[in-house]
């Protein structure tokens, strides 16, 4: 299996300024090297001198409905507690063996009493010991500036001018590593291009 690599062509980042405000609206288009738009790609931008952890008490939810995890890809900031409510009529047994977060929630219905705290950046892959086809990913990032692409491979972020670190990941990349590169955001705008090689 080949390792994913960053190539300069298919993830188009175009920054457009909308007046003298400090935040610049930034449109991101994520594509594969074959030109295919990638839905549910994670894009995170790390800023200099920016708080990396979530505010105390930050929470998110990874639900189980119709014997599937929803959403398939969840993005949270480091320090977020994630609940795993089960809305199915059958019980689930949720686990992760990923280095970023290892946990095991035994067979249960409803919502477990304690959420799982994701306190390190990285990617956790989830499964269910009862339903082998159930899988999902929780992407933990050291920034509050993140989003997932829509069905057209698009997303928008408001970014300040400056030198930042762009990180990108998609479930089809083939390994649990966010790919990164330096970007420069400046008025009246600009763009950077990368692409994702998929397995």
């Amino acid at each position: 299996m080949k390792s994913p690599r960053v190539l300069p062509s298919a993830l188009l980042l175009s920054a457009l300024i909308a007046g003298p405000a400090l935040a610049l609206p930034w449109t991101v288009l994520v594509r594969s090297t074959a030109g295919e738009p990638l839905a549910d790609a994670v894009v995170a931008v790390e800023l200099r001198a920016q708080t990396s952890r979530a505010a105390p008490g930050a929470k998110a939810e990874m639900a189980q409905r119709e014997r599937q995890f929803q959403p398939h890809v969840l993005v949270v900031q480091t320090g977020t507690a994630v609940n795993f409510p089960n809305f199915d009529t059958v019980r689930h047994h949720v686990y992760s063996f990923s280095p970023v977060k290892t946990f095991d929630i035994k067979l249960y219905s409803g919502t477990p009493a304690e959420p799982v705290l994701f306190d390190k950046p990285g990617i956790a892959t989830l499964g269910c010991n009862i339903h082998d086809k159930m899988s999902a990913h929780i992407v933990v990032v050291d920034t509050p500036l993140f989003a997932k692409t829509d069905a057209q491979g698009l997303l928008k972020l408001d970014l300040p001018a400056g030198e930042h670190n762009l990180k990108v990941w998609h479930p089809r990349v083939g390994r649990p590593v966010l790919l990164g590169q330096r970007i420069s955001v400046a008025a009246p705008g600009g763009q950077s291009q990368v692409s994702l090689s998929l397995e």
Side-chain angles (χ1 to χ4, degrees), residues 33-100:
T33 52
E36 169 194 6
L38 295 176
D40 274 348
V42 174
V43 175
V45 179
E46 296 176 348
L47 308 182
R48 291 182 180 177
Q50 175 72 54
T51 301
S52 62
R53 294 185 64 85
K59 293 183 180 178
E61 184 174 284
M62 174 66 82
Q64 295 113 66
R65 288 187 177 91
E66 300 178 0
R67 301 186 185 188
Q68 294 182 2
F69 288 108
Q70 294 182 359
H72 179 63
V73 177
L74 174 67
V75 192
V76 299
Q77 192 174 357
T78 306
T80 299
V82 178
N83 284 305
F84 292 86
N86 178 5
F87 295 102
D88 285 335
T89 56
V90 297
R91 295 191 295 171
H92 292 299
H93 181 156
V94 179
Y95 69 90
S96 168
F97 296 134
S98 302
V100 65

Side-chain angles (χ1 to χ4, degrees), residues 7 51 75 100 102-103 114 121 123-124 132 140 164 175 179 182:
L7 300 173
T51 301
V75 192
V100 65
T102 300
F103 65 92
E114 295 294 328
I123 300 163
D132 291 340
V140 187
H164 312 308
R175 62 176 180 164
L179 307 176
R182 300 298 296 175

